Amino acid sequence: MEGLVSMKTAPGISFQSIPSPNQRPNFFLRRSMDLQHRRFHFPSIRAQQSGTIFPRKEDEEDSLKVKEWEVGMLQNEVSASQGIRIRRRPPSGPPLHYVGPFEFRLQNEGNTPRNILEEIVWHKDVEVSQMKEKKPLLSLKKVIENSPPTRDFVGALKAAHLQTGLPGLIAEVKKASPSRGILRENFDPVEIARAYEKGGAACLSVLTDEKYFKGSFENLEAIRNAGVKCPLLCKEFVIDAWQMYYARIKGADAILLIAAVLPDLDIRYMIKICKMLGLAALVEVHDEREMDRVLGIEGIELIGINNRNLETFEVDISNTKKLLEGERGQMIRKKDIIVVGESGLFTPDDVAYVQEAGVKAVLVGESIVKQSDPGKGISGLFGKDISL
Ligand SMILES: O=C(O)c1ccccc1NCC(=O)[C@H](O)[C@H](O)COP(=O)(O)O
């Protein structure tokens, strides 16, 4: 659209006059023309501008960025076709609209995350690409070759359930959350982990996201190195297999995969990587559609039903019951999958409710981490001492 006159009107909105209405290509055609233009010509234009024949490093970097953007857009399209509303990356550049003979741009429209989960994922995308540059996958693989074996996360949950007759507890080391803010001011992850273990937790969940949960991979590593025996779940927003390798070297025994973020193909691929790395995968769903997708994937041993809608923060523990009713529940039993009830569990009645619905494990953060002695918080949650 070179040569068009751009007129600024209100802040954030600019108008461009169009030579004639019948010369106006539709938005999608323009987008794909733009993509092709960039794919095939962008580096050489830069090379021409710089007066060089061979592409310069900057041209190659530009070209890589364009390719990454294209992959992100493709991922968004695949995700949308599976009912996934979370876009993996912001659509680059503001979309164009046509009104009468005018074309106008709304600055940033489309590049604003639609909800907190999308915001987290977009931030994670940038964070992970920076971390990958510092610690390439090959270097992580070398460290893993000399790492101690992982512990049996699923086995620990099953054993706790058999021993107590109650759901096995995954106790979460959680300092803060986007929905609740700071949960515990004096936050010593190792002290909390030890208290949970003493209080009867079968496994621990360690939040590693820094920006939104004030967690870290250092916390995970410190808990592992402190001699805590409970298997550890790395509670991360996984969007790239690199994170799984990193979690493994930092001491994780299991990793979270969120179906609201990951398309089926990613989940299948990541389950295979988990098997290679000796990690258990907790695949998290929060509605019927996600549950049906996940039940169609082979090799899943653990499904988490999140009672918190990660887009709206609404918590409703009847979600667990709803997703375990009828044929879904039957298929889960047939496949011998362990279901974990996650979020919003505060009382023995809550635990009894989700157990009645069919869970064999629960994942709990807020209600126990807020207690002055988080270990005693566990007895409060179950209505009895489960450490024996
Ligand atoms: O906890 C949040 O506010 C939150 C917001 C956005 C994405 C994820 C979020 N939480 C992760 C979890 O699923 C919970 O930490 C976990 O299930 C424990 O929940 P709770 O017992 O209610 O602390």
Side-chain angles (χ1 to χ4, degrees), residues 76 86-91 111-132 134 178 208-217 236-240 242-243 261:
N76 287 348
I86 302 303
R87 295 165 298 171
R88 190 72 69 87
R89 292 202 184 130
N111 280 350
T112 308
R114 291 176 188 144
N115 53 56
I116 187 69
L117 185 56
E118 194 163 83
E119 184 183 325
I120 296 172
V121 165
W122 290 5
H123 180 264
K124 200 54 73 183
D125 189 49
V126 176
E127 185 185 290
V128 171
S129 21
Q130 287 165 355
M131 287 174 80
K132 277 165 88 172
K134 283 194 216 134
T208 48
D209 177 77
E210 293 190 15
K211 185 170 159 69
Y212 299 92
F213 292 85
K214 306 214 177 300
S216 70
F217 279 98
E236 207 9 288
F237 294 85
V238 172
I239 49 161
D240 188 309
W242 180 92
Q243 294 163 282
V261 171

Side-chain angles (χ1 to χ4, degrees), residues 72-89 114-115 117-118 121-122 238-239 257-268 270 283-294 297 310-311:
M73 291 308 99
L74 195 64
Q75 278 169 333
N76 287 348
E77 280 168 34
V78 170
S79 296
S81 74
Q82 292 173 15
I84 299 172
R85 289 179 299 276
I86 302 303
R87 295 165 298 171
R88 190 72 69 87
R89 292 202 184 130
R114 291 176 188 144
N115 53 56
L117 185 56
E118 194 163 83
V121 165
W122 290 5
V238 172
I239 49 161
L257 303 175
I258 304 178
V261 171
L262 299 168
D264 297 1
L265 200 59
D266 283 12
I267 298 179
R268 282 179 217 277
M270 286 174 176
V283 185
E284 181 179 294
V285 302
H286 84 282
D287 64 20
E288 290 94 335
R289 185 159 183 175
E290 288 169 10
M291 177 65 101
D292 293 342
R293 282 177 46 216
V294 164
I297 297 174
L310 302 186
E311 297 175 36

